[in-house]
Amino acid sequence: MSPLYGPFEIRPGRREDAGGASSLRNAAIANSTAIWTTRPQTPDEARLWWGGLVDRGAAYVADHDGMIIGYGCWAPWRPAEGYRFTVEDSIYVAADQQGRGIGRRLLTALVDGARDSGAHVMLADIEATNTGSIALHSRLGFETVGTLREIGTKFDRWLDLTIMRLQLAG
Ligand SMILES: CC(C)(COP(=O)(O)OP(=O)(O)OC[C@H]1O[C@@H](n2cnc3c(N)ncnc32)[C@H](O)[C@@H]1OP(=O)(O)O)[C@@H](O)C(=O)NCCC(=O)NCCS
């Protein structure tokens, strides 16, 4: 993707954005420790994953002239029903589009959308050396809860997980 510096729109995700969102997710899988797997999502998996988020109103994209240059979503933090008011966010911005405010606007949309849908707390599980994501979440009021040491592995090294928390409603 070539550098783009034009305007972008943050809007709710649609089913047809599955390919664009999945490309960003697969780039993060291949090139980073943001997602703790090395297995890319297949097109079928992407349609199921994204379709479920869209149906729940839990997906947003940054759209530049029809090109998906970022996406964000939230999902239940854990499946048991007692956790149903706690969600976890995920945000991915195209590598050559980072640092121009897309992540901030996506996370703002996620926070507002999750609050409107009745969520009580939003968590972010972030690989501990991901200073960009930690900075983004701090800017929007998330507080660091703590860091779990060496609970994951990728690229032949142990990974630490920093958990950040934002109260959405009283
Ligand atoms: C983390 C990520 C979503 C941030 O998105 P972005 O569009 O680059 O961030 P923004 O330009 O909106 O910056 C938001 C704020 O965070 C700060 N920030 C972002 N990246 C930073 C970095 N690497 N170091 C320090 N501060 C940073 C910015 O200064 C900005 O603060 P401000 O609004 O007060 O000026 C993006 O870098 C990304 O997609 N990274 C790869 C995937 C990833 O790690 N996702 C998160 C998984 S937990």
Side-chain angles (χ1 to χ4, degrees), residues 25-127:
R25 184 180 163 83
N26 281 342
I29 287 172
N31 304 318
S32 79
T33 50
I35 302 175
W36 295 5
T37 180
T38 53
R39 196 179 70 78
Q41 211 173 30
T42 67
D44 281 347
E45 288 168 339
R47 274 189 290 275
L48 266 179
W49 161 72
W50 188 254
L53 293 169
V54 168
D55 289 351
R56 292 202 305 276
Y60 287 82
V61 295
D63 177 332
H64 171 83
D65 230 4
M67 183 182 293
I68 303 305
I69 57 174
Y71 80 84
C73 57
W74 77 82
W77 187 58
R78 289 190 177 187
E81 71 178 48
Y83 292 109
R84 67 188 178 280
F85 295 112
T86 300
V87 297
E88 177 186 356
D89 76 273
S90 304
I91 300 199
Y92 294 88
V93 175
D96 62 358
Q97 303 299 313
Q98 293 172 8
R100 53 182 297 237
I102 297 173
R104 176 184 265 275
R105 287 190 46 201
L106 277 170
L107 186 53
T108 301
L110 293 179
V111 165
D112 291 346
R115 182 184 289 120
D116 290 349
S117 80
H120 184 66
V121 165
M122 182 173 272
L123 296 176
D125 290 353
I126 305 172
E127 193 271 310

Side-chain angles (χ1 to χ4, degrees), residues 33 36-38 150-160:
T33 50
W36 295 5
T37 180
T38 53
E150 300 189 0
I151 64 161
T153 181
K154 187 171 179 181
F155 302 148
D156 297 323
R157 67 178 176 87
W158 292 115
L159 300 175
D160 299 344

Side-chain angles (χ1 to χ4, degrees), residues 77 87-90 107 122-126 133 137 142-143 145-146 161-166:
W77 187 58
V87 297
E88 177 186 356
D89 76 273
S90 304
L107 186 53
M122 182 173 272
L123 296 176
D125 290 353
I126 305 172
S133 185
H137 285 84
F142 285 68
E143 291 184 346
V145 175
L161 188 73
T162 293
I163 299 179
M164 299 186 78
R165 177 188 185 278
L166 180 72

